[in-house]
Amino acid sequence: MVAFTARAHTNIALLKYWGKVDQQLIIPTTTSISLTLDEFYTETTVEFDPALPNDQITLDQQPLKEKDRHKISIFLNLIRTQAQINTFARVQSVNHVPTAAGLASSASAFAALAGAGSAAAGLNLSQADLSRLARQGSGSASRSIFGGFVQWDRGTDHQTSVAHPLQENVDWPIQLLTVIVSDQPKKINSRGGMQNAMQNSPFYQNWVERSNGLVKPMQTAINQHDLATLGTIAEQNALEMHAQNMVANPPFFYLTDISWQIINLVQDLRQSGLQVYATMDAGPNVKIISHPDDTPTIKSALFKILPEISIQVATPGPGLTVWQNGAAHA
Ligand SMILES: Nc1ncnc2c1ncn2[C@@H]1O[C@H](COP(=O)(O)OP(=O)(O)OP(=O)(O)O)[C@@H](O)[C@H]1O
Ligand SMILES: C[C@@](O)(CCOP(=O)(O)OP(=O)(O)O)CC(=O)O
């Protein structure tokens, strides 16, 4: 059969997804809003081949670990069922983003796999159906089908829990400075962490209500290109997500001393008049939401306190692209 390749970019949530109502279908407790990023992406090629005795999967030219391979095969089963085929697949994936370090590699990974896998299986899915499919691999992947600002409606079932673009072409100045504290895989993955928080934080229900209440204000901030309100809401929502983990029993932490140094610096810079805001996912890295003009000031302030730190500038990025191997890539 024919091989297809897909490229999907990561996204960083401005309003976080942190808990599931349905573990199997991946229906979240909250509606989330994200920004797709240009600089970090996954490229995946899929070919179904009747000669294969099982699914063969490589990530960055290395065979995947058994647990991760199993996860991909289960996901491919969703595609096989829909396409009514029972052939195994050859999957080659390359991450242009550190894997499992809280930089949303699972988002770009499953969005790319949904795109290449469904095309290679002969399915011609709509973007909404690709989002529903990607969601079942990793919740945040539902948002990486689209570019720019994206909203994943929590919904109540497979049909209604789907992402849609809020603003695909972002033509106003906003960037995320990603401060890489560590590019090593984290100890507690997102899946385990959110489950832990949901079951063991006494304030979890409060998080759900507050987070869902921030959807409208965040939409308004995006519509009005209001960086200050957008950043304020995003920082508040990220800290509240981490607070759930800190008050869980037993507590657990993604943020390290260095993460807190950066968060404190962001607050200091804000007090000095800059529009800078921090957001953090399931890892120690801090993403600084900011205006591109302020990059030199923010970078020099960061290097002053952390001379060894690595910083990547990320701007709004596009949605999923899929092409047949051998065909020209638009
Ligand atoms: N390109 C890929 N192909 C297949 N699986 C991948 C790929 N990239 C990542 N993964 C899988 O996703 C897992 C990482 O997902 P996880 O959600 O734990 O962390 P993350 O990448 O930091 O993303 P997030 O910020 O969404 O938590 C990896 O352990 C691996 O199983
Ligand atoms: C903190 C987050 O990045 C968590 C992402 O979690 P995942 O989408 O990786 O989780 P699973 O659905 O279990 O695969 C917040 C977000 O991206 O909304």
Side-chain angles (χ1 to χ4, degrees):
M1 287 175 88
V2 193
F4 277 82
T5 301
R7 179 187 290 184
H9 292 251
T10 60
N11 69 79
I12 295 301
L14 304 171
L15 288 184
K16 310 290 183 192
Y17 143 57
W18 200 240
K20 299 174 178 67
V21 174
D22 185 320
Q23 308 290 325
Q24 180 84 28
L25 282 173
I26 310 199
I27 310 294
T29 53
T30 61
T31 289
S32 53
I33 293 181
S34 59
L35 181 62
T36 301
L37 301 181
D38 209 14
E39 283 65 20
F40 300 124
Y41 61 92
T42 298
E43 247 177 42
T44 300
T45 302
V46 180
E47 180 178 20
F48 289 92
D49 182 348
L52 292 176
N54 50 35
D55 289 321
Q56 298 192 349
I57 305 154
T58 60
L59 171 55
D60 299 333
Q61 276 94 43
Q62 301 294 320
L64 267 193
K65 281 182 288 180
E66 180 52 31
K67 188 177 122 273
D68 295 336
R69 201 180 67 85
H70 184 64
K71 215 168 134 185
I72 303 290
S73 282
I74 289 178
F75 185 77
L76 290 170
N77 287 343
L78 297 172
I79 295 175
R80 281 188 276 258
T81 305
Q82 213 171 330
Q84 298 186 304
I85 56 170
N86 50 22
T87 1
F88 290 109
R90 192 175 295 109
V91 178
Q92 290 167 314
S93 189
V94 178
N95 277 348
H96 298 262
V97 48
T99 302
L103 289 168
S105 67
S106 69
S108 54
F110 281 95
L113 188 61
S118 60
L123 296 170
N124 185 13
L125 300 183
S126 67
Q127 284 189 309
D129 278 340
L130 283 167
S131 171
R132 294 183 182 98
L133 174 61
R135 188 199 75 230
Q136 294 174 88
S138 184
S140 53
S142 66
R143 300 185 306 240
S144 272
I145 301 300
F146 304 99
F149 291 103
V150 181
Q151 176 168 323
W152 170 19
D153 291 330
R154 66 177 159 153
T156 50
D157 56 17
H158 177 60
Q159 194 61 23
T160 53
S161 189
V162 62
H164 55 91
L166 290 175
Q167 198 177 94
E168 289 231 68
N169 297 313
V170 182
D171 58 357
W172 55 283
I174 179 167
Q175 66 173 12
L176 256 75
L177 287 183
T178 302
V179 189
I180 309 206
V181 172
S182 161
D183 62 0
Q184 293 305 303
K186 57 214 176 196
K187 282 192 228 86
I188 304 173
N189 64 17
S190 306
R191 194 154 294 189
M194 66 176 80
Q195 181 71 359
N196 238 349
M198 200 174 154
Q199 286 172 350
N200 302 317
S201 158
F203 307 121
Y204 186 78
Q205 207 40 47
N206 193 257
W207 143 261
V208 170
E209 280 155 28
R210 286 180 56 79
S211 201
N212 284 323
L214 291 173
V215 171
K216 279 242 147 62
M218 180 59 89
Q219 286 174 341
T220 307
I222 291 168
N223 282 338
Q224 296 180 348
H225 304 180
D226 179 351
L227 181 62
T229 307
L230 179 154
T232 304
I233 298 173
E235 185 173 296
Q236 176 190 359
N237 184 254
L239 288 170
E240 288 186 18
M241 180 197 109
H242 286 274
Q244 298 307 312
N245 309 337
M246 291 179 209
V247 296
N249 184 14
F252 60 103
F253 313 96
Y254 290 110
L255 304 176
T256 62
D257 288 355
I258 299 181
S259 317
W260 285 112
Q261 272 181 275
I262 299 165
I263 295 165
N264 280 327
L265 177 74
V266 164
Q267 294 200 333
D268 289 347
L269 288 172
R270 205 153 61 223
Q271 256 157 22
S272 75
L274 249 55
Q275 291 189 344
V276 283
Y277 309 87
T279 184
M280 298 74 62
D281 291 297
N285 301 316
V286 180
K287 295 104 193 178
I288 302 179
I289 303 165
S290 49
H291 191 293
D293 288 353
D294 295 329
T295 307
T297 315
I298 302 167
K299 274 190 171 174
S300 80
L302 277 166
F303 287 134
K304 211 173 267 172
I305 60 161
L306 298 163
E308 306 293 321
I309 213 80
S310 135
I311 304 166
Q312 299 217 27
V313 180
T315 48
L320 178 74
T321 47
V322 184
W323 64 96
Q324 189 176 327
N325 280 32
H329 171 209

